[in-house]
Amino acid sequence: MRKVGLIAVLVALAGMAWYFIAGASTATNSSASTSTPQGNGDDQQDLIVVTPWELTAMDPSKSGFIFQRLQIAETLVDAKQNAELQPMLAQSWSSNDKGDVWTFVLRDDVVFHDGSPLTADDVVKSLQVALTKPTALESAAISNIKAIDSKTVEITLDKPLMSFPAYLAHATSIILASASFDENNEVTKLLGTGPYYVTKFEPPQKIEQKAFADYWGEKAKIQDITYLANSRSETRTLLAQSKPNYLVFTLDSASLTRLQQDPNLQVQSKSLARTIEYKVNADNPLFRDVAVRQALSDAIDRQGLARSVMHAENAAAAQILPPIFKDWQIKTPTQTPDPEAIKQRLLDAGFTVDSNGMLQKNGKPFKFTLRTFSDRPELPIIATALQAQWKKIGVDVDVSVGNFSDIPAGHQDGTLEMGLYARNYGMTPDPVGSLIEDFDPNGSDWGVMNWQNAALSKDLLTLETTKGNDVATKKRVSQIIFDERPVVPVVYYQQNAAAHKSLKGLEIDGLERNFYLNKLSW
């Protein structure tokens, strides 16, 4: 891990690199970006999709989210943009009254990329392999998966779970042909059912794929697509302007103004079902008192962060679940942080002020380390902003920018004091599953640490086991989290994408499940 002082140096170096790269390629970029994709027809020009996410393996438990977004493989259940579940490979599903036996009926006339038909046996094989891996299905308490006939799958759970179909929408639950697996159940061929099939797989950075003529749904219009992984936000921004056949996702928000001013580009931004939030170690003497957790939260200028960092007025996050989950939304007070008033609240809670105006208690300074990581470029920026805002109320914060794994590692070994990260609540479209995991009384790597609430656990159990849409219980869960603040939302994450204006049909999925490549055309 590195201290925040290095960030300024890295930013400066990135800026210098930007200057020389951009300067060296000005002529090329300007001529390329003013052209339109050339080919022998709408179907002939290829598309290059660029994101920061590397390919680690063919295993769906590791890279399934990429295969799902690229529409190579599909799940039994899908989700609309409003998080409502809808059929995909399963045309229908139902459960017994108790909610512990679920039946899924498969679509007719679906074939895998090798031409073999989709059968219940293929579904059973994929899901049984997924159960042996670190996937969302681990939390679903599945006891048995069996084929009733060639088009019907029955799944039995150890306990009722009314949100179970949402688990089968998760990217780690994608369905592959049985021929995809070797004798050790390792994936050796990516044989999915999507509108694109793989022609070349080159981890960690590249996939080449081609339109699948026998796709059961809306067929792809662009025939050839290449996926490239590039972790540097600055490079992705340059690529967006370099050639007209690039589609670039997850752009640094600071680069949006530059891209929006390019007359040849279309730039889209959308709020996602992902919340940038921080968790505290509630057993740390600094954070045991809910009044302290509330004071830290109230000192955050969320609206300022939304405008300056996320470049979106609607990104300020007062509650943990984004607005896409409308049944969970509660009324929260709108207020501008008042550092002096908040500092006084902490003094009333037993803190005192030292000679430098900083808070202390029992002779120990109010000081802690906030861990975050740079995989998402906004996180270090937000961390340094929180550091500055909390300093105004007399709290001394060290920011440590390390690896993605540092926060769960710190949770496991007990050294984590506070961690800032982006939590996706849309991969399993019903957030009940995510909340059950994150607010487990025993804690969670990306959830609570040394904190539990009996009323919250009871309400989540009710949502887990009761049929129907219990809006009152959902709102009560949101209220408890808001009041207690063991996990605190800061801003809602924005997805940014850029492409040449000649690309038609570009759409951002707020649930981060799909790039909708089959809807694109030139």
Side-chain angles (χ1 to χ4, degrees), residues 373-390:
F373 47 90
S374 58
D375 297 54
R376 294 189 176 272
E378 293 83 359
L379 290 179
I381 300 171
I382 291 173
T384 56
L386 294 177
Q387 179 187 49
Q389 291 173 11
W390 285 333

Side-chain angles (χ1 to χ4, degrees), residues 277-293:
E277 60 193 35
Y278 64 83
K279 59 184 283 183
V280 299
N281 181 353
D283 193 42
N284 186 306
L286 293 173
F287 305 125
R288 284 178 191 156
D289 187 347
V290 65
V292 174
R293 301 197 297 267

